[in-house]
Amino acid sequence: MALTLLLGFAAVNTGNNLLFLVVASLLAFMALTGLIGWFNLRGLEVEIVPPDEIYSGMETLVTFRFTNRKRWLTSFLLSAEFLGSSTVILLADRQSACSRSVPCTFPRRGRHAGLSLLISSPFPVNFFIRRLQCGFAETVTVFPAPIPFRTVSADAGRERVGELLRSANGHDGELARIGDYSGREPLKHVHWRLSARHDALKVKGFNATGTEPVVIDLETLPARTTDEAVGRAAYLVNDLMRRNRPVGLRLGDLLVPPGLSRSHRLKLLKELAVHAAD
Amino acid sequence: MLRIDTAVALLVALVTLCGYLPLAPYLGLFPRILLPAALLFGYFFRRRGYRLPNWLVTVCGLLFFLFYALQVSRTNLVGPAADLLILFLALRLFGEQSGRHYLQIYVLAVFCLSASSLFSLDSMFLVYLLVMLPALAVSLVLLSFVAVDPDAALSRSAMGKVLRTAILIPVGAVPLALVFFVILPRTQYAMWNFLNQQEGAVVGFSDRVQPGSASSQSEVKTLVFRAETGRLPDDRLYWRGIVLNRFTGTAWERTAPAGNGLPVGGTDRPVTVVFYPEPTKSRYLITLDQPLQLSGIRSDRTGDAVYLQSYGRAVRTRYEVTALPGARLEERAGARMESYLQLPPGYSPAIRRLARETAAGARSGREVIDRFERFYRSNGFRYATSGLPTDAHPLDTFLFKRRQGNCEFFASSLAVLLRSAGVPARLVGGYQGGDYNELGGFYAVTEDRAHVWVEADPDGEGWVTIDPSRWAVNADERVSRPGPGLYARIRQAADAVEYYWTRTVIAYDLEKQIEMVRSAGRRWSGVRLRVPDMQNMAMVVVSLLAAAGAFALRGRRRLSREERLLRLLYVRLRREGRLPADHAGMGLFRLAERLGDPVVHRFAERYGAAVYHDRPLSSDEYKGLRQLIRQIGNGASGDAGRNVRSRPDDA
């Protein structure tokens, strides 16, 4: 820019047309680089693909899928910045997509809305950096960071942290009862002989053979703040379910019955994530 | 994989050469040698990492600056500055190199190329600029990769993609630069004109003619000017420069002329000639004998039809002359002609005697001239550029002994003879003849065509042109003519290129800018469209629109109504910023589920009910589905401003 201005000043004052030619070329050069820089960030779409489990304060890899929708031009030197971390894509081919994972840390638990990725590029010449803010409509739920709960072992702490419920229905325990077929039971549980006798389908009910279920009550957890309690609860959820123990959750009036599946665990963590702070 | 820094190093060398080569002829010996040495040093030692440390480069730079700063004066500014630029460039090449240093090299190279325009206006400048521009563009693009990753390397295909994009810059910049060149503001007068130190051509004619000062005359084929006009007879091609009116006994000089002559008579109609002179330090403007008027440049006309460029001149290398070839230059009544009979007292009794004897009994000045012509022709005078008399009385030796000399001897001796015989006479310096370029329609006049001839006013009827060199027995051999060979044709073509370069680029100025705007305005206001013209124009416009429409709609022809509906849906969603990036392989129901939009759900259900059961859509269904597409986004939560969407939160 300074070079062009200086030469332009010299051209006007000397009336030298060759200097005008140089100045005209430099101006055209700047215009073209600006235009190509603008095109470089145009037609880019970014999709955020967060991992299933994100814990506050813990580094995680968030994946972004970049799609260059331009028909003719490849995009170059894209630097994507997300929550203070960045990644570089040297080249994003036209009409194609690529993925990059960015290590980042969410500082607080809860629903994170209005997330955005800042894409910048010095292309084509490193004089100016163009930026593009890509916003995401979806929210990302960040679970509370688990706070290890050493006082609670698998058995010793169970009375302190929850209450024992009656045995839940299961598949591989002792025969506990005979009931009507509700349509949800597997066919192998149908008691054919009884069914024939009663003219209706009867199924065998079994006790579960797993460990005793636990319902975590946030208010009974030893913690000074809600956040600390939530962190300990998250630790318990993960720890107990890893030990194959069904876990439920009581959050004030809300009671989530115990369960053992992965989706159940994520549901509990989600509830903990959005639980109001103090 | 191709290392980017290797490619950048090669391009740096190319850019440096583009700055150095045009400036090289005008450099001092030291900078002229140092820069190639620095390039070679870079080539051989780059890989080994030998570099001058930065502090040494800085110290050397300071010392060079001090050395050249002491040489700078108002008249010697550009030379030292050019030397200094090249030395800085060389030092930078010797020193450490990184992205910032490369940029310094580029800036210096651009400055060097620009500085060369202060020395020469040659069209090669454009060649260097057109090489430098792509090299700069590609190099800067590659440097931006190095800035991100200093060890960046690209595969061949990736490098190809980078180069294809980088090359768009110069390709697009060239036409844009032409537009900028035309519209960039010009001023009427250049304030820094003293910087334009173009190589002043050694003018073949001077304001002093001294026969006998040298034994031979060098013939240089340097171009002096181009004159755009039609073909003229050879004996009309006298390019007037200066009139010398005072003879000192050894030399002809110029003093303030007496009289004020105007061209009259002549056998030809007025001729308009556009002159494109090469840069010169001389103030005398070349015209065609005899000039009526000169326009396009500030000048003063003296009484003997000599034009001098005014002080405070504009940078202008084009002017127009209207002339009457073969005309007389008639003095106004009462002009004092005695000064044109002046001779130094006691000058050459032999010449005076010859003049008296030859003119004795002549009834008119014209007859005196005829008698002198016969004298020259009958005594076998030869035209020669070597073996010229150099003794104390060179004109006597020429007339009475050796009888061979160049135009200075012929013209000087005749003028002295005429003055001795009482006929007012003076010398005119300029050029004679020229090589006509059929391609460009102009005369190219070179230094070797410098010529001196005589003007005499024999009977008070006006100054007539007399060229005594034509009376030599070998007059036809005086100027060598270019042969019809291939080389001559190539030279002519190259000269035509140079001519158009001068005409369109070098001579482009404020006046042309204004003229361009005016002529555009005139053409526009003069447009009177007749009905057939309008019909033709309408046909052209319709054809262009149809072609554009066909281009835009290409590929859509084969789409079914169902496919068109889907495309409309995608277009609408994309406009709303809600179309997932991976929609291509996604089913319609999956898409609706992902978006969670009830309208899209309804669309999917109705569309699927027909299309997925191999039933064509009815017209009502089609309309209904289009209606649904229009409803998408109406009243929905706004996503405007977001150009992307992510997958729903799975966490």
Side-chain angles (χ1 to χ4, degrees):
Chain A
M1 182 67 84
L3 173 73
T4 313
L5 282 177
L6 189 64
L7 287 176
F9 193 64
V12 170
N13 282 292
T14 55
N16 187 326
N17 272 335
L18 298 190
L19 287 183
F20 273 108
L21 211 53
V22 175
V23 174
S25 303
L26 290 177
L27 284 174
F29 184 87
M30 284 198 292
L32 260 293
T33 51
L35 194 68
I36 287 180
W38 180 72
F39 269 116
N40 194 46
L41 292 188
R42 214 166 163 263
L44 284 178
E45 286 180 8
V46 189
E47 219 183 331
I48 184 169
V49 189
D52 288 345
E53 295 178 45
I54 304 175
Y55 295 94
S56 66
M58 294 172 72
E59 193 173 73
T60 186
L61 277 179
V62 177
T63 302
F64 294 93
R65 186 175 165 81
F66 297 85
T67 309
N68 180 4
R69 295 217 171 279
K70 285 194 287 291
R71 186 177 290 185
W72 309 111
L73 289 175
T74 304
S75 287
F76 298 96
L77 289 177
L78 304 173
S79 172
E81 191 182 326
F82 185 72
L83 295 178
S85 302
S86 62
T87 183
V88 172
I89 302 168
L90 284 183
L91 188 148
D93 253 332
R94 64 193 170 97
Q95 300 273 308
S96 66
C98 61
S99 295
R100 289 286 185 285
S101 295
V102 180
C104 59
T105 307
F106 289 84
R108 57 176 184 79
R109 69 182 169 90
R111 283 205 181 90
H112 289 247
L115 290 173
S116 65
L117 180 79
L118 181 69
I119 302 180
S120 59
S121 174
F123 191 81
V125 291
N126 197 18
F127 295 159
F128 304 101
I129 293 179
R130 283 187 170 274
R131 290 184 170 82
L132 174 72
Q133 190 89 23
C134 297
F136 303 105
E138 286 70 21
T139 55
V140 172
T141 304
V142 177
F143 303 151
I147 300 174
F149 198 14
R150 289 182 193 167
T151 54
V152 179
S153 65
D155 295 321
R158 75 179 175 222
E159 287 82 9
R160 272 189 267 164
V161 298
E163 58 182 293
L164 188 62
L165 292 184
R166 62 180 174 80
S167 297
N169 291 338
H171 303 289
D172 45 2
E174 295 295 318
L175 179 64
R177 61 199 161 270
I178 300 291
D180 290 335
Y181 177 65
S182 65
R184 289 197 298 272
E185 295 84 354
L187 282 177
K188 70 176 182 180
H189 287 190
V190 174
H191 198 308
W192 296 109
R193 200 181 304 161
L194 273 178
S195 299
R197 211 177 289 164
H198 286 87
D199 212 15
L201 284 177
K202 296 287 179 186
V203 289
K204 292 175 267 189
F206 294 92
N207 276 337
T209 57
T211 50
E212 291 169 296
V214 174
V215 172
I216 301 165
D217 188 344
L218 210 60
E219 289 175 6
T220 63
L221 288 175
R224 286 187 295 274
T225 61
T226 307
D227 275 340
E228 191 181 346
V230 163
R232 293 193 190 285
Y235 173 78
L236 276 180
V237 167
N238 285 341
D239 188 51
L240 293 174
M241 289 183 83
R242 200 179 305 124
R243 294 164 194 270
N244 214 22
R245 194 160 176 188
V247 178
L249 184 67
R250 185 189 295 280
L251 291 169
D253 296 337
L254 175 75
L255 173 68
V256 181
L260 201 54
S261 67
R262 182 169 182 272
S263 62
H264 180 72
R265 185 171 65 88
L266 294 179
K267 184 181 176 187
L268 295 183
L269 289 170
K270 201 169 180 178
E271 291 297 342
L272 288 170
V274 299
H275 183 66
D278 292 325
Chain B
M1 297 292 271
L2 297 171
R3 282 189 62 84
I4 289 179
D5 54 353
T6 310
V8 169
L10 288 172
L11 289 167
V12 164
L14 185 60
V15 171
T16 305
L17 281 176
C18 288
Y20 167 74
L21 289 176
L23 204 53
Y26 313 102
L27 295 173
L29 186 64
F30 181 54
R32 200 186 299 175
I33 291 173
L34 193 68
L35 193 120
L39 275 176
L40 289 174
F41 176 88
Y43 178 76
F44 286 113
F45 296 103
R46 195 176 67 85
R47 284 170 191 277
R48 299 182 192 177
Y50 295 149
R51 289 289 173 208
L52 288 189
N54 265 342
W55 66 266
L56 190 57
V57 170
T58 309
V59 169
C60 289
L62 274 174
L63 290 176
F64 286 147
F65 179 78
L66 285 175
F67 177 75
Y68 284 98
L70 292 174
Q71 299 181 21
V72 167
S73 67
R74 192 185 177 283
T75 52
N76 184 30
L77 178 62
V78 179
D83 284 355
L84 201 54
L85 279 175
I86 289 291
L87 287 173
F88 283 161
L89 191 53
L91 281 177
R92 198 60 273 161
L93 290 170
F94 276 119
E96 291 169 14
Q97 286 179 15
S98 64
R100 186 168 55 90
H101 297 134
Y102 286 136
L103 286 181
Q104 288 172 2
I105 290 173
Y106 297 154
V107 169
L108 286 168
V110 172
F111 270 130
C112 289
L113 180 65
S114 305
S116 77
S117 72
L118 300 174
F119 293 98
S120 165
L121 300 174
D122 198 87
S123 60
M124 278 302 286
F125 182 91
L126 186 66
V127 176
Y128 290 119
L129 184 65
L130 288 179
V131 174
M132 184 186 258
L133 209 58
L136 262 181
V138 174
S139 180
L140 284 172
V141 167
L142 293 180
L143 272 182
S144 63
F145 278 82
V146 176
V148 173
D149 179 6
D151 297 318
L154 293 173
S155 66
R156 275 185 188 281
S157 71
M159 183 65 97
K161 284 168 191 161
V162 173
L163 293 182
R164 275 199 293 280
T165 309
I167 214 71
L168 287 178
I169 298 173
V171 166
V174 168
L176 198 56
L178 291 180
V179 175
F180 279 128
F181 177 78
V182 172
I183 63 172
L184 277 174
R186 266 48 172 205
T187 52
Q188 197 169 3
Y189 299 108
M191 286 186 290
W192 295 357
N193 193 30
F194 64 92
L195 284 177
N196 287 312
Q197 298 191 349
Q198 278 97 23
E199 199 179 26
V202 184
V203 184
F205 73 86
S206 67
D207 52 4
R208 184 182 166 87
V209 166
Q210 190 173 1
S213 59
S215 63
S216 64
Q217 173 190 327
S218 63
E219 293 195 350
V220 191
K221 273 275 182 195
T222 313
L223 183 77
V224 184
F225 65 90
R226 294 186 185 84
E228 183 188 289
T229 184
R231 257 193 188 283
L232 291 169
D234 194 46
D235 61 350
R236 293 287 187 261
L237 287 177
Y238 283 90
W239 310 104
R240 188 184 189 88
I242 189 173
V243 170
L244 305 169
N245 47 21
R246 182 170 174 273
F247 185 56
T248 63
T250 54
W252 286 87
E253 295 174 345
R254 177 170 177 78
T255 59
N260 191 1
L262 281 175
V264 290
T267 53
D268 305 316
R269 288 179 299 171
V271 174
T272 302
V273 187
V274 183
F275 284 84
Y276 297 94
E278 290 294 289
T280 172
K281 286 170 184 161
S282 169
R283 285 186 61 214
Y284 294 101
L285 294 167
I286 304 290
T287 59
L288 181 64
D289 233 13
Q290 301 282 352
L292 274 170
Q293 67 171 36
L294 185 148
S295 59
I297 193 166
R298 281 180 71 185
S299 62
D300 300 314
R301 179 185 167 115
T302 58
D304 48 6
V306 168
Y307 286 86
L308 285 116
Q309 203 164 357
S310 303
Y311 286 112
R313 62 186 173 178
V315 177
R316 200 182 287 253
T317 47
R318 173 190 182 275
Y319 56 89
E320 206 171 291
V321 171
T322 309
L324 272 175
R328 287 175 288 118
L329 205 58
E330 197 172 83
E331 290 288 354
R332 285 182 184 161
R336 292 185 304 114
M337 303 297 283
E338 307 84 53
S339 61
Y340 293 111
L341 295 172
Q342 167 270 337
L343 281 173
Y347 177 74
S348 182
I351 294 179
R352 284 174 190 269
R353 196 182 318 119
L354 171 66
R356 263 200 314 276
E357 287 171 359
T358 310
R363 281 169 301 211
S364 66
R366 172 62 67 180
E367 191 180 338
V368 173
I369 294 169
D370 290 343
R371 288 185 184 184
F372 283 130
E373 182 177 350
R374 276 200 296 280
F375 167 75
Y376 278 91
R377 288 193 187 278
S378 59
N379 283 288
F381 280 88
R382 291 185 63 80
Y383 186 89
T385 54
S386 58
L388 305 176
T390 53
D391 55 2
H393 305 288
L395 289 185
D396 289 71
T397 311
F398 169 71
L399 281 173
F400 304 116
K401 291 179 188 164
R402 211 176 281 184
R403 289 185 177 152
Q404 97 171 13
N406 60 5
C407 57
E408 292 185 356
F409 283 91
F410 278 91
S412 295
S413 59
L414 179 66
V416 170
L417 283 170
L418 284 172
R419 285 190 174 190
S420 301
V423 178
R426 60 193 184 192
L427 256 59
V428 183
Y431 298 87
Q432 203 274 316
D435 302 323
Y436 194 72
N437 191 311
E438 298 287 352
L439 286 171
F442 62 89
Y443 281 100
V445 179
T446 45
E447 284 295 348
D448 61 339
R449 292 191 175 272
H451 194 48
V452 182
W453 62 94
V454 175
E455 269 185 355
D457 187 358
D459 302 304
E461 293 171 354
W463 296 97
V464 291
T465 299
I466 305 163
D467 185 1
S469 301
R470 287 184 177 274
W471 301 338
V473 291
N474 61 339
D476 291 342
E477 302 165 14
R478 191 165 62 81
V479 176
S480 59
R481 299 278 179 272
L486 178 67
Y487 176 67
R489 282 207 296 275
I490 291 172
R491 266 192 60 183
Q492 227 178 38
D495 198 39
V497 170
E498 195 68 33
Y499 161 73
Y500 284 116
W501 165 255
T502 306
R503 208 175 110 156
T504 52
V505 177
I506 305 296
Y508 185 75
D509 55 11
L510 179 68
E511 193 177 292
K512 278 195 173 176
Q513 269 184 324
I514 295 170
E515 179 54 33
M516 196 179 283
V517 173
R518 278 186 187 157
S519 86
R522 275 200 300 274
R523 278 180 201 173
W524 182 247
S525 63
V527 172
R528 298 277 182 275
L529 288 177
R530 292 171 297 136
V531 172
D533 288 342
M534 290 175 75
Q535 283 174 342
N536 289 341
M537 273 180 69
M539 276 184 67
V540 170
V541 170
V542 167
S543 307
L544 286 175
L545 286 176
F551 182 76
L553 293 171
R554 70 196 191 285
R556 290 192 183 189
R557 217 168 0 95
R558 294 184 299 276
L559 291 181
S560 66
R561 197 155 69 158
E562 289 75 17
E563 287 169 325
R564 280 206 302 277
L565 266 179
L566 263 192
R567 177 174 280 199
L568 277 175
L569 174 75
Y570 290 148
V571 168
R572 179 75 183 195
L573 288 173
R574 185 176 291 135
R575 201 174 296 158
E576 292 288 319
R578 300 169 61 190
L579 188 66
D582 55 348
H583 73 276
M586 195 184 287
L588 189 53
F589 285 98
R590 172 94 191 282
L591 176 71
E593 191 184 338
R594 167 88 68 90
L595 293 174
D597 187 328
V599 181
V600 182
H601 264 293
R602 280 209 297 282
F603 179 93
E605 281 165 6
R606 290 193 204 171
Y607 185 90
V611 176
Y612 297 154
H613 292 89
D614 290 337
R615 179 172 63 78
L617 285 168
S618 68
S619 292
D620 287 343
E621 282 174 328
Y622 180 73
K623 282 177 193 166
L625 288 169
R626 290 202 65 150
Q627 184 66 31
L628 280 178
I629 291 174
R630 279 194 287 274
Q631 286 173 13
I632 293 173
N634 292 345
S637 60
D639 293 313
R642 299 178 193 276
N643 65 334
V644 287
R645 279 267 156 181
S646 69
R647 281 168 36 177
D649 183 11
D650 293 323

